[in-house]
C-alpha cells in the first residue's frame, strides 16, 4: 500500500499535544536580556525629544535606545521586496522611527533589561515629546484633496498604481445588454496567530549571530538581516523552532528582529523579545483593507463578456515585505472561474496612518473571489436566474484554459464540484425549506449562498515573478539523504508552521524509496541544517517543495539503481524497481533494497568507477505554472430578522486540490481556512477611531471565533490532477479562506431577499443586518 493518499496520523502531534513543542518563548539562553518596545500612542505625530533618563535608572535596565541612537545600526530600512511599478514610492522604514510616528504602535525606543517585567516597566518611563498631527486612517480620507500626507514624498498618499488590461474592454461594455456595477469593502483584518511573534538573538565571540524567531521564512529572514544590518549572510544562522501559526503575518520582516539583533551585538549578551497579544494587534501586519468596484458586462441571458475591477488598497503606514504585491496576487482572478472576453484590472495603493498591511491567508485572492462571487449573484438577480444557473452558464469548461487575464489554468472541472456540493447540501430540499419559512413569515429566515472559486497558488514560476518585479524566485530546494542504516533524512527549504509537512513530505519520500513513513526524519527551519530555501507562503510547500522532493527522491533512486546493478552484476535495464527494491528481471529473489544500497554507498568499498560515495540528492524545482485549486462552497445561514443575528447553520465545501497526499491534513487545512473566511464575513474587523487609535485592540473586541461558533463542516472533494507536476497536486493552504467569505455573505443576502436587501458590508454583524432590514422596509 502506498503512503500517499492515506490518512497517516500527523507525526508532529505526539510531541505538540503533550506540550513538548519548543516555541521561541520556551527557549532562553544563559544571561538573556529582554527587550520592550516603546510605541507611539499617536497615529501621526512629530517626534520631538525622547527623554530616556528615568528609564535608564530603573531597576534591572541595561540600555535604553531611541531611534536616533540606533540609526547607525541599520544599513538600510526594512525591506519591501515587491516594487510593483515604476511610480512606486517606497518610504524609508527604519526599525525605530526618528522623526515621525506614522501609526499607533510605531516603535520609537527600546528598553533592554534583565527581565521582561523590568523592561516593560521601564518602557513606561520613557518620555517622548510628541506633537500630534492629523491622521488619515481610511482610504477615502487619505485620497481626499488636501489630505495630510503620511509621507511627504508620496503626494496624494498614493503608493503606486498598477493595471492589467486585455481584450476590447470598452467595446464589450458598450455592446453589453446588461451590466452590473457593485462596490464592496474588504474590512481590515488582524491575522491573530495562536503564538504571537518572538525573537531571541545570540552572538558568539566570533561575531556569528544565531537568531531564533517565530517566522514562516528563515531563509528570507537571513537575507533581510544582511540587507538591514550588514552582517554577512554566512555569519547568520536563523532558526524557526515550532511556530504557532502565521497565516502570512510571519513571512514579514519586522523591526523587532532587527532591534533585538542590534542590541545583542552591542551588548554581547543574548536578547529576547516576546510579543504580547495586544501588542500583536498593532505591531504585526494586518490584512485586507481594500475598497473594490467591480463591473460585469453580460448578454441578456447573463453570459458574462467582460470584467472591470477597480481597487483602492490600503498599504498602511509603510510598505512591508510584499505589501504592494498583495493586490496583484488577486489581479488575475476578478473573472473567477468564468470565461470572459475582456478584462480590466486597476489598483491604487494608498498610504494611511495605520499598521502596515501585508499578506494574510489568501492575499489578494479572497478579495478577488469575494468581488466576483458577489457580482455574479448581483447579475443573477438582474437577469432573473438562480445562482447555480448563472454559474453553470459561465463556467470555464475546457482545460488547460487560457484565461482572459492572461494566464493558463492547468486543470479543473467546475461543474463537477458544483454538482457534488449541491448533492452534499441537498439543494432542492433546502430551497423548499427556505420557501416554507418565507411563506410562514418565520422570524428565522434561511439563506443559501454560493462561492464557486478558482485560485492561483503554489507560488510560483520565477519567470513570472520576475516579470511582476517580485524580488526573489519561486523555486524550492529539497534534499534527501539515505543514512547508512537505511533511515532517510529530508532537508526541506519550506518550513511548516502548522501544515504538517513532517507527515506529508515523509509520505512522499516513503513511497519513492520504499521505506516506512516513520523511517523518515524531516528537517527544516534552521539555515544551518537546510541552508537553501524559499520558505512557506502562497500554498507552495507541496506544489513546489513537495515536487522538488519527488524529483530529489527520483535522483536517489537513480543512483541506487546504478549501485544495485553494479553489485548484482547486471545492467540497469535488467532491474525492476518496486516498493524500494531492485530485483533482477526473471530472478525476483536476486535483489537489493534502496536501504542496502545506502550502506554500500556509505562504505564505498565497491562502487562503480567514478561514483561519489553516499546516497543523497538535492533538487531545486521551479514550477512551470501556478497551481489552480478550485471548488464550490455552499453556506446555509439562519438570519433572525428581529435581531439581525446570523447563525451559520450548515457549511458544505467541495474542493479540488488535485491528488491528495494526506486527506486528514487536507481536511484540516480546509477547516481552518473556512473558519478564517467565515470570520471575515461574520465577525472580524479591525476598527480605528478618527484619531487612528485601534479600538479593536484586544481579543475582547476583535472577534476571533472559536469552534463553538461554527457548525461541523461537510467536506467532499473532486480530483482533477494537475498536469504540470508529477504528483498531480495543487495547494490547499488558503482555499477555505478564499472560498468561504462570499459564500456566507451571499447566503445572508439570500436570506434577506424578500426584504429587498441586496447589499451589506462585512462583517454582517447583527446591527448591520438589522439596519439593512429596517432601511429596506422604510
Ligand atoms: N497537502 C496535501 N495534498 C494536497 C495539498 C496539500 O496533502 N493536494 C498538504 C501538504 O503536503 C501540506 C499541507 O497540506 O502538509 C498544506 O500544503 P500547501 O497547500 O502546500 O500549503 P503550505 O504548506 O505552503 O502552507 C502555506 C499555507 C498558507 S499560505 C497559509 S496563510 C496558511 C496555511 O498554509 N497558514 C497556516 N495553513 C496554515 N495552517 C496552520 N495550522 N497555520 C497557519 O498559519
Amino acid at each position: 500500500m502506498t503512503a500517499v493518499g492515506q490518512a497517516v496520523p500527523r507525526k508532529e502531534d505526539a510531541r505538540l499535544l503533550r506540550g513538548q513543542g519548543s516555541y521561541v518563548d520556551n527557549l532562553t539562553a544563559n544571561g538573556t536580556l529582554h527587550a520592550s518596545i516603546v510605541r507611539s500612542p499617536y497615529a501621526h505625530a512629530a517626534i520631538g525629544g525622547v527623554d530616556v533618563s528615568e528609564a535608564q535608572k530603573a531597576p534591572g535596565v541595561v540600555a535604553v535606545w531611541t531611534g536616533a541612537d540606533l540609526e547607525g545600526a541599520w544599513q538600510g530600512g526594512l525591506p519591501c521586496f515587491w516594487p510593483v511599478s515604476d511610480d512606486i514610492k517606497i518610504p524609508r522604514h527604519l526599525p525605530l522611527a526618528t522623526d515621525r510616528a506614522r501609526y499607533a504602535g510605531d516603535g520609537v525606543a527600546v528598553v533592554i533589561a534583565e527581565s521582561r517585567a523590568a523592561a516593560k516597566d521601564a518602557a513606561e518611563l520613557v518620555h517622548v515629546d510628541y506633537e500630534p498631527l492629523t491622521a488619515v486612517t481610511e482610504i477615502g480620507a487619505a485620497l481626499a484633496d488636501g489630505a495630510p500626507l503620511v509621507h511627504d514624498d508620496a503626494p496624494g498618499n498614493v503608493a503606486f498604481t498598477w493595471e492589467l488590461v486585455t481584450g476590447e474592454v470598452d467595446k464589450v461594455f458598450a455592446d453589453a445588454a446588461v451590466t452590473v456595477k457593485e462596490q464592496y469593502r474588504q474590512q481590515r483584518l488582524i491575522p491573530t496567530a495562536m503564538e504571537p511573534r518572538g525573537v531571541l538573538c545570540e552572538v558568539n565571540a566570533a561575531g556569528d549571530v544565531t537568531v531564533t524567531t517565530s517566522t514562516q521564512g528563515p531563509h528570507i529572514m537571513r537575507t533581510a538581516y544582511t540587507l538591514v544590518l550588514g552582517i554577512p549572510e554566512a555569519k547568520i544562522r536563523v532558526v524557526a523552532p515550532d511556530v504557532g501559526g502565521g497565516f502570512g503575518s510571519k513571512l514579514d520582516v519586522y523591526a523587532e528582529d532587527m532591534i533585538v539583533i542590534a542590541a545583542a551585538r552591542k551588548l554581547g549578551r543574548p536578547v529576547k523579545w516576546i510579543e504580547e497579544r495586544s501588542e500583536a494587534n498593532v505591531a504585526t501586519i494586518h490584512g485586507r483593507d481594500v475598497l473594490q468596484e467591480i463591473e460585469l458586462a453580460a448578454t441578456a441571458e447573463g453570459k458574462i463578456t467582460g470584467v472591470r475591477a477597480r481597487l483602492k488598497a490600503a498599504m498602511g503606514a509603510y510598505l512591508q515585505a510584499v505589501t504592494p504585491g498583495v493586490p496583484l496576487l488577486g489581479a488575475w482572478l476578478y473573472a473567477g472561474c468564468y470565461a470572459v472576453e475582456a478584462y480590466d484590472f486597476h489598483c491604487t495603493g494608498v498610504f494611511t496612518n495605520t499598521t502596515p498591511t501585508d499578506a494574510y491567508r489568501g492575499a489578494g485572492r479572497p478579495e478577488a473571489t469575494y468581488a466576483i462571487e458577489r457580482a455574479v449573484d448581483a447579475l443573477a438577480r438582474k437577469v432573473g436566474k438562480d445562482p447555480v444557473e448563472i454559474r453553470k452558464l459561465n463556467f470555464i469548461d475546457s482545460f488547460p484554459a487560457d484565461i482572459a487575464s492572461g494566464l493558463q489554468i492547468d486543470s479543473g472541472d467546475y461543474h463537477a464540484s458544483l454538482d457534488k456540493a449541491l448533492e452534499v447540501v441537498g439543494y432542492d430540499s433546502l430551497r423548499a425549506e427556505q420557501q416554507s419559512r418565507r411563506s410562514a413569515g418565520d422570524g428565522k429566515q434561511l439563506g443559501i449562498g454560493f462561492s464557486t472559486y478558482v485560485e492561483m497558488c503554489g507560488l510560483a514560476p520565477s519567470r513570472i515573478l520576475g516579470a511582476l518585479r517580485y524580488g526573489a524566485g519561486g523555486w524550492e530546494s529539497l534534499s534527501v539523504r539515505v543514512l547508512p542504516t537505511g533511515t532517510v533524512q529530508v532537508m526541506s527549504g519550506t518550513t511548516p508552521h502548522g501544515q504538517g509537512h513532517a507527515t506529508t513530505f515523509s509520505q512522499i519520500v516513503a513511497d519513492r524509496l520504499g521505506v516506512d513513513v516513520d523511517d523518515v526524519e524531516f528537517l527544516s527551519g534552521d539555515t544551518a541544517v537546510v541552508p537553501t530555501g524559499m520558505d512557506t507562503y502562497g500554498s507552495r510547500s507541496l506544489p513546489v517543495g513537495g515536487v522538488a522532493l519527488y524529483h530529489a527522491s527520483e535522483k536517489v533512486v537513480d543512483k541506487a539503481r546504478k549501485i544495485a546493478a553494479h553489485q548484482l552484476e547486471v545492467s540497469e535495464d535488467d532491474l525492476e524497481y518496486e516498493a524500494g527494491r531492485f530485483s533482477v528481471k526473471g530472478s525476483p529473489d536476486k535483489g537489493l533494497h534502496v536501504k542496502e544500497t545506502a550502506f554500500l554507498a556509505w562504505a564505498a568499498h565497491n562502487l562503480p568507477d567514478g561514483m561519489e560515495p553516499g546516497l543523497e540528492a538535492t533538487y531545486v524545482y521551479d514550477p512551470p505554472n501556478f497551481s489552480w485549486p478550485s471548488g464550490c462552497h455552499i453556506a446555509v445561514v439562519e438570519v433572525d430578522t428581529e435581531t439581525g443575528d446570523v447563525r451559520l447553520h450548515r457549511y458544505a465545501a467541495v474542493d479540488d486540490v488535485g491528488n491528495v497526499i494526506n486527506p486528514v491534513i487536507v481536511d484540516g487545512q480546509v477547516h481552518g481556512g473556512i473558519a478564517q473566511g467565515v470570520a471575515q464575513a461574520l465577525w472580524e474587523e479591525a476598527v480605528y477611531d478618527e484619531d487612528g487609535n485601534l479600538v479593536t485592540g484586544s481579543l475582547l473586541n476583535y472577534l476571533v471565533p472559536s469552534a463553538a461558533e461554527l457548525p461541523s463542516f461537510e467536506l467532499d472533494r473532486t480530483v482533477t490532477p494537475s498536469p504540470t507536476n508529477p504528483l498531480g497536486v495543487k495547494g490547499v493552504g488558503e482555499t477555505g479562506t478564499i472560498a468561504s467569505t462570499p459564500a456566507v455573505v451571499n447566503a445572508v443576502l439570500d436570506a434577506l431577499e424578500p426584504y429587498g436587501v441586496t447589499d451589506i458590508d462585512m462583517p454582517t454583524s447583527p446591527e448591520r443586518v438589522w439596519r439593512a432590514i429596517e432601511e429596506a422596509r422604510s
Side-chain angles (χ1 to χ4, degrees), residues 85-92 151 153-155 158-160 319 324 351:
S85 66
D86 281 339
D87 69 354
I88 192 164
K89 304 281 185 304
I90 303 185
R92 192 159 179 243
H151 297 279
D153 51 0
V158 171
F160 68 90
L319 302 184
F351 288 115

Side-chain angles (χ1 to χ4, degrees), residues 174-195:
D175 292 348
V178 180
T179 60
V180 292
K181 187 175 189 172
E182 298 271 300
Q183 287 174 335
Y184 305 129
R185 179 173 168 271
Q186 293 282 331
Q187 79 270 33
R188 182 175 271 258
L189 300 174
I190 300 177
T192 322
M194 193 89 84
E195 179 208 18

Side-chain angles (χ1 to χ4, degrees), residues 78 129 148 173 425 490 574 653:
L78 297 173
D129 179 13
F173 273 87
V425 289
V490 168
D574 288 332

Side-chain angles (χ1 to χ4, degrees), residues 95-137:
L96 288 174
T98 52
D99 58 342
R100 264 202 270 169
R102 291 187 167 83
Y103 65 97
D106 211 353
V108 293
V110 58
V111 177
I112 311 287
E114 297 288 348
S115 73
R116 202 170 156 190
K120 197 177 167 188
D121 286 348
E124 290 180 11
L125 304 175
V126 173
H127 303 292
V128 185
D129 179 13
Y130 292 106
E131 185 198 325
L133 303 168
T134 311
V136 281
T137 54

Side-chain angles (χ1 to χ4, degrees), residues 17 118 123 125 189 225 304 307-308 313 315 370 424 513 528 603 682 686 766 769 773:
L17 294 177
L125 304 175
L189 300 174
Y225 299 155
I304 308 166
V307 176
R308 265 197 199 119
M315 306 284 102
Y370 183 80
V424 170
L513 302 185
L682 294 181
V769 173
I773 295 171

Side-chain angles (χ1 to χ4, degrees), residues 53 148 153 159 188 323 329 383 467 645 727:
S53 54
D153 51 0
R188 182 175 271 258
T323 309
L329 290 170
V383 299
D645 185 40
L727 292 171

Side-chain angles (χ1 to χ4, degrees), residues 310-614:
R310 297 282 175 272
L311 263 60
K312 295 186 181 96
M315 306 284 102
Y318 295 99
L319 302 184
Q320 286 275 359
V322 298
T323 309
V326 171
L328 271 62
L329 290 170
W332 280 264
L333 294 173
Y334 277 78
C337 49
Y338 311 113
V340 306
E341 297 160 30
Y343 190 82
D344 178 355
F345 171 92
H346 185 280
C347 175
T348 304
V350 184
F351 288 115
T352 54
N353 290 115
T354 56
T355 294
T357 61
D358 208 329
Y360 171 50
R361 203 167 193 173
R365 291 150 289 159
E367 295 91 313
T369 306
Y370 183 80
I372 182 65
E373 287 306 292
R374 280 210 46 199
V376 163
D377 267 22
L379 178 64
R381 282 193 291 274
K382 196 150 184 178
V383 299
K385 282 198 155 62
D386 179 89
V388 174
E389 231 183 317
I390 194 98
R391 285 172 168 80
K392 291 203 157 200
L393 177 67
N394 283 291
F395 275 155
I396 295 167
D397 53 12
S398 126
F399 296 90
D402 293 314
I403 53 173
S405 52
L407 296 176
Q408 189 181 72
I409 300 181
D410 52 1
S411 66
D413 186 344
Y414 305 152
H415 288 277
S417 44
L418 173 54
D419 288 340
K420 200 164 204 175
L422 292 173
E423 204 182 298
V424 170
V425 289
Y427 186 52
D428 292 340
S429 60
L430 271 178
R431 281 284 180 217
E433 186 186 341
Q434 178 183 54
Q435 201 44 55
S436 74
R437 288 202 201 191
R438 282 180 182 178
S439 312
D442 200 317
K444 289 197 175 145
Q445 289 293 323
L446 209 60
I448 306 159
F450 287 82
S451 169
T452 45
Y453 76 97
V454 59
E455 67 118 338
M456 45 189 269
C457 62
L459 300 178
S462 300
R463 186 171 44 82
I464 297 183
L465 292 178
L468 294 175
R469 300 168 180 240
Y470 180 58
W475 48 263
E476 195 47 79
S477 171
L478 263 288
S479 303
V480 176
R481 181 185 297 138
V482 191
L483 297 173
T485 53
T487 51
V488 178
Q489 288 178 321
V490 168
M491 278 70 68
S492 170
T494 71
T495 307
H497 46 284
Q499 295 88 348
H501 297 173
T503 306
T504 51
F505 282 31
S506 297
Q507 289 175 259
I508 294 169
V509 80
D511 277 0
R512 308 309 319 154
L513 302 185
V515 297
D516 281 349
V517 169
D518 288 336
D519 282 342
V520 183
E521 183 190 14
F522 178 82
L523 301 169
S524 74
D526 182 343
T527 60
V529 177
V530 187
T532 308
M534 280 293 183
D535 304 323
T536 297
Y537 56 91
S539 303
R540 66 189 305 275
S541 297
L542 180 62
V544 188
V547 175
L549 176 58
Y550 172 93
H551 286 298
S553 309
E554 291 298 289
K555 279 170 92 172
V556 164
V557 172
D558 286 347
K559 184 169 181 181
R561 180 181 290 109
K562 288 189 171 60
I563 296 169
H566 179 74
Q567 285 287 330
L568 298 166
E569 297 176 338
V570 293
S571 89
E572 285 179 54
D573 293 342
D574 288 332
L575 290 177
E576 278 170 344
Y577 182 64
E578 205 191 329
R581 187 169 185 275
F582 299 97
S583 58
V584 178
K585 285 179 188 162
S587 315
D589 295 346
K590 222 177 140 195
L592 277 175
H593 197 279
V594 169
K595 293 179 180 184
E596 295 167 295
T597 66
F599 183 84
L600 297 167
W602 175 76
H605 297 161
N606 180 19
L607 292 178
D609 286 345
M611 179 179 272
E612 282 178 68

